[in-house]
């Protein structure tokens, strides 16, 4: 089976986990019961033998048309097939007692022959379950997991796959419901609830999107982006995963394949900006509270990422039985970068909590105690080398963005004391912020080229340098900012889109191969062009970025300009957040409070 394009996939979700549905009617990725659980459908990273679930006309092929039903996470796929037209409606109801994937086949016109193929393989394709038939379907059991498929259609086994062949006429509806429970519990038959579940799911998403306050240009794109962010939220804790997948490559056939089914702290400020700026205070509060719980403890042991519930141990391992997406190996679970020292994270957390405070999301006193502890750590470690926000697996260096964010964290503490009545040694913190600022300007700026550099002593650049004015380190009209924006655009551009940094020789991160243009960096470039007064160019770039979305409005992590394809894990929260914040900025809405700033 040839791999589908990453942009061929649409997202289904129930606020606990997510599935990827291809144009051909096949669900090729599904982890149960959580985002970070082992997959029971992993064809995305191997082939159909690793698990999939396809419902489509017997003749196969991609859907003639598909789309989300309004502003929901329900997707309708239609095929114009020999004999008529058929629609398959796919969705996951917001989680109740169990996880359900509901698929309703509906005859639109004529009469169409249909086929269902179901291959369940627990543990990322590694475990073949024991299958037991029952009157309304089947039960598959292995280890801790049970999946129950319920449908009125007769099924049979064929080459280790469950198959159903049936016909659907105009006006007829045939439901299929796949339910997950722990193996010591037996799911009830639920197919009679499928149509009612559809109505409840549609109402849930319509009621949720009605809260969206964004009314600027590109409103459709913004609404789809915030729906995607909601879908990537783990409802029990409020944590937001970076993406729904693991090991989709940053370079096709390469080794830059990481597990993104965890929650990154550095996403906090950007995500809070997007949620608060579009009216989702409850989600922002839940994310802020997850953040406070996750970082509680010894500030010296702050991690860059945590599990959905704040879990700290995320051991990285490779799944050698999987061949990877288009041969991109290794396939990884867990993420070794969780143990890296990345200085910018202390600043990101402090910046995010300050933003929440500015926007009226009051915290308990313990949140300020945590921030004081983080500041104490920054005071003693801001001048240490680190691995940078890009989690490079090469030598630690004095990365400029990391120092800038250390400055931002201290600056926000000064702001909290002066503007929100918090207690702290404000004069000492102001002196510390000034010292960091001076150090960056002296050691991180190339006076001959007129640009900040990736790290002290480097000639290379970094797209994260575009955030220098955004966090208030320098004003937009400062010549050093303008020079940096122009240099980054000139030297890191690939067909107008930005790479994070130069990966061509592996000197920064120690890994072979290159990667695609990083989409959130290109959104930052649009913001930066707008900030330095090149507004028409900023809007044109933003429109190009919108054109990279797939047919249902989703973006992965990166874009391969050579092949014209999305690459990296999908859908990527950082990309969708970038879309929201840039749309807001270009529409005239502020996306950043700037408490400090130096000349």
């Amino acid at each position: 089976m040839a791999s589908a394009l990453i942009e061929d996939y649409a997202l289904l979700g129930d606020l606990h986990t997510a599935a990827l549905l291809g144009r051909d009617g096949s669900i090729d990725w599904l982890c149960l019961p959580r985002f970070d659980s082992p997959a029971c459908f992993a064809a995305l990273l191997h082939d159909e033998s690793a698990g999939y679930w396809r419902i489509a006309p017997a003749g196969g092929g991609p859907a003639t048309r598909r789309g989300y039903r309004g502003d929901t996470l329900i997707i309708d796929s239609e095929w114009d097939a020999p004999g008529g037209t058929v629609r398959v409606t796919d969705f996951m109801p917001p989680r109740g007692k169990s996880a359900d994937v509901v698929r309703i086949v509906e005859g639109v016109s004529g009469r169409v022959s249909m086929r269902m193929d179901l291959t369940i393989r627990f543990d990322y394709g590694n475990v073949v379950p024991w299958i037991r038939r029952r009157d309304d379907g089947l039960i598959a059991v292995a280890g801790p997991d049970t999946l129950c498929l319920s449908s009125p259609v007769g099924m049979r086994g064929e080459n280790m796959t469950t198959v159903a062949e049936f016909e659907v006429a105009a006006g007829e509806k045939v439901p299929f419901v796949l339910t997950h429970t722990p193996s010591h519990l037996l799911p009830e038959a639920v197919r009679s609830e499928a149509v009612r579940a559809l109505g409840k799911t549609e109402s849930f998403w319509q009621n949720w999107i009605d809260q969206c306050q964004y009314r600027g240009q590109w409103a459709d794109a913004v609404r789809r982006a915030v729906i995607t962010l909601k879908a990537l939220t783990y409802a029990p804790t409020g944590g937001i995963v970076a993406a729904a997948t693991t090991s989709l490559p940053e370079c096709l056939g390469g080794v830059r394949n990481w597990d993104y089914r965890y929650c990154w702290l550095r996403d906090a400020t950007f995500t809070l900006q997007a949620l608060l700026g579009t009216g989702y205070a409850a989600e922002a509060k839940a994310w802020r509270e997850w953040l406070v719980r996750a970082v509680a403890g010894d500030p010296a042991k702050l991690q860059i990422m945590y599990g959905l519930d704040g879990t700290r141990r995320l051991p990285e391992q490779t799944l050698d039985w999987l061949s990877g997406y288009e041969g991109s190996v290794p396939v990884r679970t867990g993420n070794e970068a969780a143990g890296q020292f990345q200085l910018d994270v202390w600043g990101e957390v402090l910046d995010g909590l300050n933003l929440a405070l500015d926007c009226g999301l009051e915290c308990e006193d313990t949140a300020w105690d945590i921030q004081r502890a983080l500041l104490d750590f920054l005071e003693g470690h801001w001048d240490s080398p680190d691995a940078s926000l890009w989690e490079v697996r090469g030598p630690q260096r004095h990365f400029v963005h990391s120092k800038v964010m250390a400055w931002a964290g201290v600056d926000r503490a000064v702001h909290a004391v002066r503007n929100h009545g918090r207690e702290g040694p404000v004069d000492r913190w102001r002196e510390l912020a000034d010292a960091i600022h001076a150090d960056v300007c002296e050691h991180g700026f190339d006076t001959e080229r007129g640009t900040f550099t990736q790290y002290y002593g480097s000639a290379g650049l970094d797209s994260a340098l575009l955030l220098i004015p955004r966090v208030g380190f320098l004003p937009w009209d400062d010549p050093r900012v303008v020079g940096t924006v122009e240099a980054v655009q000139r030297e890191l551009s690939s067909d107008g889109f930005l790479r994070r940094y130069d990966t061509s020789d592996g000197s920064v991160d120690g890994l072979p191969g290159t990667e695609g243009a990083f989409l959130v960096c290109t959104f930052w470039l649009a913001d930066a062009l707008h900030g330095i007064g090149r507004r028409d160019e900023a809007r044109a770039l933003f429109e190009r970025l919108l054109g990279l979305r797939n047919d249902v409005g989703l973006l992965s992590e990166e874009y391969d300009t050579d092949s014209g394809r999305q690459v990296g894990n999908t859908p990527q929260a950082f990309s969708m957040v970038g879309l929201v914040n840039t749309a807001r900025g270009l529409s005239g809405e502020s996306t950043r409070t700037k408490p400090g700033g130096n000349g």
Side-chain angles (χ1 to χ4, degrees):
M1 180 190 74
S3 300
L5 300 178
I6 290 173
E7 52 264 43
D8 282 344
Y9 288 102
L11 180 73
L12 308 175
D14 66 354
L15 309 184
H16 287 239
T17 191
L20 293 186
L21 170 69
R23 294 175 187 266
D24 62 350
S26 181
I27 296 176
D28 291 342
W29 182 253
L30 175 61
C31 300
L32 290 169
R34 307 191 334 175
F35 290 103
D36 57 353
S37 298
C40 59
F41 301 146
L44 178 71
L45 299 178
H46 190 64
D47 59 32
E48 291 178 347
S49 66
Y52 74 108
W53 184 19
R54 180 182 297 117
I55 301 178
T64 308
R65 54 195 162 271
R66 68 171 182 172
Y68 284 112
R69 184 174 295 187
D71 291 323
T72 75
L73 212 63
I74 301 165
I75 191 160
D76 292 315
S77 304
E78 291 188 358
W79 285 261
D80 294 332
T85 297
V86 64
R87 178 186 304 122
V88 180
T89 299
D90 291 291
F91 63 99
M92 296 181 71
R95 183 73 62 92
K97 294 181 179 179
S98 58
D100 299 311
V101 181
V102 181
R103 315 191 69 178
I104 301 174
V105 183
E106 180 180 1
V108 177
S109 65
R111 190 172 191 89
V112 180
S113 296
M114 300 291 295
R115 180 180 171 99
M116 184 213 74
D117 296 271
L118 173 67
T119 298
I120 298 171
R121 297 291 184 267
F122 293 115
D123 191 27
Y124 304 101
N126 194 41
V127 176
V128 179
W130 173 66
I131 302 290
R132 178 162 58 91
R133 307 290 170 182
R134 69 182 198 181
D135 291 343
D136 67 333
L138 61 83
I139 296 176
V141 180
D145 299 297
T146 293
L147 277 175
C148 172
L149 177 62
S150 177
S151 177
V153 173
M155 305 175 197
R156 70 177 189 277
E158 184 179 290
N159 298 323
M160 302 295 288
T161 295
T162 298
V163 173
E165 295 174 324
F166 59 100
E167 291 186 342
V168 61
E172 292 180 346
K173 293 183 179 180
V174 181
F176 293 82
V177 180
L178 189 70
T179 301
H180 175 272
T181 64
S183 58
H184 62 279
L185 300 176
L186 187 65
E188 300 177 354
V190 293
R191 74 165 185 265
S192 61
E193 302 295 321
V195 174
R196 189 169 72 172
L198 174 61
K200 288 184 175 180
T201 303
E202 190 166 8
S203 294
F204 170 85
W205 286 108
Q206 288 176 340
N207 291 336
W208 188 83
I209 200 62
D210 283 347
Q211 302 170 51
C212 184
Q213 296 177 2
Y214 181 80
R215 297 294 184 269
Q217 192 176 356
W218 311 294
D220 289 346
V222 169
R223 288 198 302 271
R224 178 50 53 190
V226 295
I227 288 170
T228 305
L229 290 177
K230 178 67 170 177
L232 294 174
T233 302
Y234 184 63
T237 66
I240 300 175
V241 296
T245 56
T246 179
S247 300
L248 289 180
E250 297 173 7
C251 175
L252 297 172
V255 300
R256 299 170 186 269
N257 318 318
W258 317 111
D259 192 348
Y260 276 15
R261 298 171 299 159
Y262 306 111
C263 305
W264 265 254
L265 298 190
R266 75 170 42 86
D267 298 4
T269 304
F270 298 99
T271 302
L272 285 168
Q273 289 169 5
L275 292 173
L276 290 168
T278 51
Y280 290 102
E283 283 74 14
K285 186 173 186 292
W287 172 230
R288 194 278 316 279
E289 290 176 350
W290 175 90
L291 180 69
V292 170
R293 293 193 302 270
V295 305
D298 184 352
K301 295 183 178 180
L302 184 70
Q303 295 186 183
I304 66 163
M305 74 182 83
Y306 295 83
L308 304 171
D309 53 4
T311 297
R312 290 173 174 261
R313 295 188 183 274
L314 306 174
E316 185 172 301
Q317 59 182 321
T318 60
L319 309 183
D320 295 332
W321 61 89
L322 296 177
S323 60
Y325 180 85
E326 294 196 7
S328 303
V329 291
V331 173
R332 296 179 172 95
T333 62
N335 202 309
E336 191 176 274
Q340 287 184 342
F341 173 59
Q342 297 177 22
L343 178 67
D344 68 290
V345 170
W346 277 261
E348 295 285 5
V349 171
L350 291 164
D351 188 27
L353 293 176
N354 177 81
L355 174 65
L357 192 61
D358 281 346
C359 293
L361 293 183
E362 289 293 334
C363 295
E364 298 178 359
D365 290 340
T366 53
W368 180 244
D369 293 338
I370 291 171
Q371 292 175 74
R372 290 285 304 265
L374 295 176
L375 285 157
D376 289 343
F377 180 86
L378 264 185
E379 192 167 8
H381 295 84
W382 70 266
D383 55 354
S384 300
D386 75 315
S388 93
L389 83 163
W390 303 129
E391 301 165 10
V392 299
R393 300 197 177 194
Q396 291 192 344
R397 296 181 170 95
H398 293 280
F399 286 94
V400 170
H401 173 263
S402 298
K403 307 296 187 193
V404 169
M405 290 313 303
W407 170 88
V410 180
D411 177 79
R412 300 322 186 244
V414 173
H415 177 77
V417 172
R418 291 178 173 172
N419 294 275
H420 296 290
R422 297 299 190 258
E423 294 185 359
V426 66
D427 291 337
R428 193 178 86 217
W429 287 342
R430 185 71 269 165
E431 290 178 4
L432 175 61
D434 291 343
I436 299 172
H437 197 281
D439 191 75
V440 172
C441 292
E442 180 180 356
H443 300 291
F445 186 76
D446 185 332
T447 55
E448 292 185 5
R449 296 161 62 207
T451 179
F452 285 94
T453 60
Q454 184 175 31
Y455 53 87
Y456 290 3
S458 169
L461 299 178
D462 188 326
S463 290
L465 299 171
L466 298 173
L467 301 176
I468 286 173
R470 182 165 178 157
V471 299
F473 186 84
L474 289 172
W476 285 106
D477 60 359
D478 189 291
R480 291 167 291 183
V481 168
V482 176
T484 299
V485 173
E486 292 175 346
V488 167
Q489 182 183 31
R490 181 175 61 250
E491 297 188 25
L492 294 182
S493 178
S494 177
D495 191 27
F497 304 115
L498 282 194
R499 292 169 286 124
R500 295 184 296 174
Y501 52 89
D502 185 1
T503 60
S504 59
D505 61 3
S507 62
V508 176
D509 57 21
L511 292 172
T514 58
E515 63 179 19
F518 212 76
L519 294 178
V520 75
C521 295
T522 311
F523 283 115
W524 294 344
L525 177 59
D527 297 333
L529 293 171
H530 184 266
I532 66 173
R534 293 160 58 181
R535 298 189 173 186
D536 291 343
E537 189 177 349
R539 294 174 69 88
L541 179 58
F542 183 64
E543 293 283 0
R544 286 193 68 199
L545 282 162
L546 292 181
L548 301 185
R549 296 174 301 154
N550 72 355
D551 61 314
V552 291
L554 304 182
L555 288 169
S556 67
E557 180 184 33
E558 300 183 14
Y559 183 74
D560 186 326
T561 56
D562 291 333
S563 64
R565 293 177 54 180
Q566 291 189 19
V567 290
N569 285 302
T570 197
Q572 180 81 0
F574 224 2
S575 298
M576 307 310 286
V577 164
L579 187 160
V580 173
N581 288 335
T582 301
R584 294 181 58 238
L586 298 186
S587 296
E589 299 182 20
S590 173
T591 60
R592 175 69 245 154
T593 55
K594 300 177 182 177
N598 293 62

